Amino acid sequence: MEAGNISMKALYRLENSLFALAASLCFAAGPGVAVAQTVDDVRVIVGKSVVVDYPEDIARISTSTPDVVDAVPATTREILLHGKSVGAATVVVWSKSGQRTFYNVNVELNLEPVRRLLKETFPAEDIQVHGAKDSVSLTGKVSAQAVADRAAVLATPAAKSIVNNLSVVNGPVEKQIVLRVKFAELNRNSAQSFGVSLLSTGATNTLGRTTTQQFPAPQGKELKTISPSQGTGIASEFQLTDLLNVFLFRPDLNLGAFIKALTTQGVLQILAEPNLVTTNGKEASFHVGGEFPVPVLQGGANAGAVTIMFREYGIRLHFNPTITPNKTIKMHVRPEVSTIDLANAVTLSGFTIPALATRKMETDIELGEGQSFVIGGLIDDRMNETFSKVPGLANIPILGALFKSRQESKSKMELIVMVTPEFTMPLQATDPKPSINFPREFLPSELPNTPAGMSRQSSKAASGPAGKPRK
C-alpha cells in the first residue's frame, strides 16, 4: 500500500510537469491555440474549504498533492478546494473548450485563534503571528521579557515549533525597593533563692549543723573536749567558706545561722535593623553572624576519616519583592535568627558540637509604600523551681521553714520581626554623598609616602621655624 502511494505521488508530479510543459508550448504556439491561464496564491486554511468560480464548464480537475489539498467539482462551474494539511500544491482545471488553468494553492495553519488569544491576553502589546509550514513565528515588540516568554507558551499548541522573534522595548529604569527589617529581641531573666543553714558550735554540749545541701555550708575543722577539772563544755573550730548573704551568730548561745534570701533580675536586649535594596522581581539576601565547625565522618574508601563542615548562625534575611498593578509591593519574606546553644551541645569523640537555637519564619505579605507589618512574634516563658528539705525537721510547724530551701528561676523571651518596604532612587551626580564621621581623618589627602606629601615635607625642611628660610 505504501509503495502504491509513492508511485501515485510520482505520477502526479510527472503529470504536473507535463502540464507545465504543455502550457509553455501553448504560449509559444501563436493564434488559434488555447492559452493556459495561471492563478497564483490561492490560500486555504487547514480544515477549511474554498469555492473557486470557473468561467466555463469544467471537464476535468487534477491536483499535484492530494495529501495537501483536495479539489473536486461542486457544479459545472464551481471548484471546491479543501485544505487537508500544511503545504503547497498545484491544481489544474480543464474546460470543455480545451482551456487549461493552473492554481497555485497554499494551505496554511489556522492562526486566527492564536491571534485572538494573544490579543485578549496582552491587549497593550504589539504581537504579530505568522505561519510557515508547521511552524509559527511571533514578531513585534513587547514591554518585558516575561511577556515574550508567556506569548510563546500560549502559541505552543498551534504548531510543532514556535520561533519567538519578539523584541523587548527598552522601558524606563526599574524602581529600586528598599526593605527595612527590625529584629527586636528582649530576654528577661529572674531568680529567687531562699534557704537556711543552722550551726551549733557547742550549745548544750552538742556540735552540729543542718543544711539542705543546696547552698554551701560551714565545715567543721577541729573539735576539742574540755576536761571536768578545767571546766565544762566543748571547744570547737569551724571553717566558713560561704556566709551566703545573711549571717547571724550568738557566741553566748553557741548558735549560728546562714540565710540565703536573694532575688536577681536581668534584661538582655538585641536589636538589628538590616536594610536591603533590590529591583522588581529579584531576590536579595542578608546575613550577619558567623560559622562554627562541625565534624563529619566520611564513608566509602575514607571510612572513619573526619572532615570539618561549617554551619552558619546569626541573623539571616531573604526577600523577593514584586510591584503589583495596584502600586503595592508583594513580598516573599524569610527572616531567621539563630544563636549558639552550648547548654544542649553534644560531645562526640572529643569534639564538642554546639546546638543552635533558631527562630525563623516564612510568609507572603502585600504592603503599600511606607506601610509596616509585624510578620512574626515569639513569646517564650519558662519557669524552673527546685525545692530541698530536711526530712522530719521540715515538717515541724512554724520552725519547719528553717529546714527548707527553695530556688526559682524564670526566663521570658520576646522576639518581634517588623518589615517596611519603600521605593528608593539612587543619588544624582550633584547630590551630596553620605559620609562617615571619623574621630580623625581616615585617609589624609597628602600621605607621607605620596609625591605630594614628600614635596610638602621637603618644603618644610627647607624652611626654618615659623616658615622662615634657612640660612
Side-chain angles (χ1 to χ4, degrees):
M1 187 66 183
E2 184 176 359
N5 292 334
I6 295 175
S7 61
M8 287 295 295
K9 291 181 180 180
L11 181 59
Y12 282 125
R13 293 192 184 96
L14 180 59
E15 184 180 3
N16 190 23
S17 300
L18 294 177
F19 289 158
L21 180 59
S24 62
L25 293 176
C26 290
F27 277 110
V33 180
V35 179
Q37 299 177 357
T38 304
V39 180
D40 297 330
D41 297 334
V42 177
R43 296 178 55 194
V44 182
I45 303 300
V46 175
K48 293 187 177 182
S49 301
V50 174
V51 177
V52 178
D53 293 329
Y54 197 72
E56 299 182 26
D57 293 339
I58 301 171
R60 187 160 59 96
I61 300 175
S62 176
T63 176
S64 62
T65 311
D67 295 337
V68 175
V69 62
D70 186 14
V72 293
T75 63
T76 57
R77 293 194 177 189
E78 291 181 341
I79 305 170
L80 180 63
L81 302 179
H82 178 71
K84 300 175 65 175
S85 62
V86 178
T90 301
V91 176
V92 184
V93 180
W94 286 270
S95 65
K96 292 183 178 180
S97 62
Q99 185 76 16
R100 289 189 297 268
T101 306
F102 292 84
Y103 294 93
N104 294 329
V105 182
N106 294 319
V107 181
E108 301 176 355
L109 292 172
N110 188 9
L111 301 179
E112 188 60 28
V114 179
R115 294 189 181 97
R116 185 169 57 253
L117 177 61
L118 293 177
K119 188 62 178 178
E120 294 175 354
T121 307
F122 309 104
E125 306 293 344
D126 181 20
I127 303 177
Q128 290 85 34
V129 182
H130 304 280
K133 293 186 178 181
D134 56 352
S135 64
V136 172
S137 176
L138 302 180
T139 60
K141 294 183 178 181
V142 293
S143 58
Q145 183 62 38
V147 176
D149 297 337
R150 291 172 57 192
V153 173
L154 292 177
T156 300
K160 295 183 179 179
S161 62
I162 302 297
V163 181
N164 192 350
N165 291 324
L166 294 173
S167 60
V168 180
V169 179
N170 294 328
V173 179
E174 292 186 0
K175 291 185 177 181
Q176 310 288 323
I177 302 173
V178 57
L179 182 66
R180 307 184 187 276
V181 182
K182 293 184 179 180
F183 295 87
E185 182 177 0
L186 189 63
N187 191 358
R188 298 185 177 93
N189 294 321
S190 62
Q192 293 181 357
S193 302
F194 178 78
V196 177
S197 296
L198 299 179
L199 170 67
S200 173
T201 60
T204 64
N205 294 329
T206 302
L207 298 178
R209 67 172 186 174
T210 59
T211 177
T212 58
Q213 297 295 327
Q214 193 172 7
F215 307 105
Q219 303 291 333
K221 183 177 180 182
E222 185 177 354
L223 298 176
K224 295 181 180 180
T225 303
I226 300 177
S227 61
S229 60
Q230 297 179 356
T232 61
I234 298 176
S236 62
E237 183 178 352
F238 282 82
Q239 182 179 3
L240 305 180
T241 57
D242 189 356
L243 300 180
L244 300 182
N245 62 334
V246 178
F247 171 64
L248 302 175
F249 181 68
R250 288 286 302 270
D252 55 338
L253 299 179
N254 293 325
L255 184 64
F258 301 85
I259 301 175
K260 179 75 169 182
L262 186 63
T263 300
T264 60
Q265 292 183 350
V267 177
L268 173 64
Q269 180 177 354
I270 299 176
L271 179 64
E273 188 174 355
N275 298 328
L276 294 180
V277 179
T278 184
T279 57
N280 183 24
K282 303 296 182 181
E283 184 178 2
S285 62
F286 171 88
H287 176 249
V288 57
E291 297 181 349
F292 64 92
V294 176
V296 178
L297 292 177
Q298 298 295 315
N302 298 324
V306 178
T307 59
I308 300 298
M309 295 182 61
F310 287 87
R311 292 285 304 276
E312 295 180 347
Y313 69 93
I315 297 177
R316 178 185 297 276
L317 173 65
H318 296 268
F319 88 104
N320 191 345
T322 303
I323 301 176
T324 65
N326 298 327
K327 296 183 180 181
T328 59
I329 303 175
K330 187 175 182 179
M331 296 177 297
H332 182 77
V333 188
R334 290 182 297 161
E336 178 181 346
V337 179
S338 59
T339 56
I340 294 180
D341 186 7
L342 295 177
N344 297 318
V346 177
T347 302
L348 181 63
S349 300
F351 296 98
T352 300
I353 306 174
L356 281 180
T358 305
R359 282 87 68 193
K360 58 184 177 180
M361 57 205 73
E362 183 173 356
T363 183
D364 291 279
I365 58 175
E366 185 173 352
L367 299 174
E369 181 183 4
Q371 293 181 343
S372 300
F373 206 93
V374 177
I375 63 173
L378 171 66
I379 298 179
D380 187 4
D381 195 353
R382 302 182 184 184
M383 183 177 65
N384 186 18
E385 292 184 350
T386 303
F387 294 92
S388 300
K389 64 180 181 178
V390 178
L393 298 178
N395 298 328
I396 299 176
I398 301 176
L399 296 178
L402 301 177
F403 304 97
K404 297 179 182 179
S405 65
R406 176 175 58 87
Q407 188 171 7
E408 179 182 305
S409 62
K410 294 182 180 180
S411 64
K412 187 175 183 179
M413 183 182 301
E414 300 176 7
L415 175 64
I416 295 177
V417 181
M418 183 170 58
V419 297
T420 304
E422 296 178 1
F423 293 118
T424 184
M425 294 296 292
L427 294 176
Q428 302 298 328
T430 57
D431 295 338
K433 304 300 185 292
S435 60
I436 302 176
N437 296 326
F438 293 98
R440 294 184 179 181
E441 190 176 2
F442 180 64
L443 288 176
S445 57
E446 297 179 357
L447 296 177
N449 296 329
T450 60
M454 296 175 65
S455 63
R456 184 176 180 181
Q457 290 180 358
S458 61
S459 62
K460 288 182 179 181
S463 61
K468 297 181 179 180
R470 294 180 181 271
K471 295 182 180 180

